[in-house]
Amino acid sequence: MSSITPLLLIISLSLLSFAPPSTANPLTVYEALQSYDFPVGLIPKGVTSYELDPSTGKFTVKLNGTCSFDIDGYALKYKSTISGTISKDKIKDLKGIQVKVLLFWVNIVEVTRDKDELDFSVGIASASFPLDSFYESPQCGCGFDCVNSAGKSSRGFSFFDRVVPLLQYN
């Protein structure tokens, strides 16, 4: 019996070496955003799951449904699936997020962090907003102003006011 004990020990140790790594504390999607130097407020509350390939930066975020809300005179729509490619200070090939400019819904295709500002690109134009406006996640239906639910917030920026002049001069 004593000769079997070392054999069992060797087999046990070899099986342990093939065990997958522990996933006891995986990052939330909000922590993953922060690890790429972005604030949590880019993604609304209600995420059900996400996938991220750290080697390529390709990601997919699943919400519990479509999500819409107004902030300071502009409307945002999130589809139930958001995807793109993330790297430090840049999200590109973004799909699943739209903003209403004038009468049209346009896709936000890229988000770039430049020091204390976030630049949002819709392809033909972009607008910059203070980083501290995104320190909390908006909630579907009411955005950042769920207490008052009046549809207006005192966040201090307006996508509409910043993009319209760009469209007029481009």
Side-chain angles (χ1 to χ4, degrees):
M1 270 245 187
S2 63
S3 64
I4 294 178
T5 305
L7 180 60
L8 289 175
L9 181 62
I10 291 171
I11 292 172
S12 297
L13 288 174
S14 65
L15 289 175
L16 285 176
S17 68
F18 290 109
S22 172
T23 56
N25 293 317
L27 294 177
T28 66
V29 69
Y30 307 104
E31 292 166 333
L33 271 174
Q34 290 175 318
S35 73
Y36 287 95
D37 214 18
F38 284 103
V40 299
L42 290 179
I43 303 286
K45 295 176 183 176
V47 171
T48 57
S49 67
Y50 82 99
E51 295 177 12
L52 171 64
D53 181 346
S55 65
T56 63
K58 292 189 184 290
F59 70 88
T60 302
V61 176
K62 302 277 186 180
L63 298 172
N64 57 8
T66 58
C67 178
S68 301
F69 50 88
D70 293 339
I71 299 176
D72 283 344
Y74 69 93
L76 285 171
K77 278 198 293 193
Y78 287 73
K79 292 184 178 180
S80 59
T81 301
I82 303 161
S83 64
T85 304
I86 191 168
S87 59
K88 184 172 175 28
D89 295 332
K90 187 171 191 169
I91 301 172
K92 63 181 184 176
D93 304 324
L94 192 56
K95 292 181 178 69
I97 305 174
Q98 294 182 315
V99 62
K100 191 171 188 179
V101 178
L102 300 175
L103 301 174
F104 304 100
W105 287 97
V106 293
N107 295 316
I108 297 175
V109 296
E110 188 171 285
V111 181
T112 307
R113 179 174 176 174
D114 183 16
K115 298 178 185 162
D116 291 335
E117 289 193 336
L118 291 176
D119 298 322
F120 293 82
S121 172
V122 295
I124 58 171
S126 65
S128 298
F129 301 99
L131 184 68
D132 61 1
S133 298
F134 298 90
Y135 284 151
E136 63 180 279
S137 290
Q139 186 171 323
C140 296
C142 55
F144 294 113
D145 196 15
C146 296
V147 174
N148 295 328
S149 290
K152 298 226 177 203
S153 172
S154 58
R155 303 297 294 178
F157 60 86
S158 171
F159 191 85
F160 181 80
D161 290 339
R162 295 179 189 214
V163 170
V164 170
L166 291 173
L167 293 173
Q168 291 172 347
Y169 297 111
N170 285 338

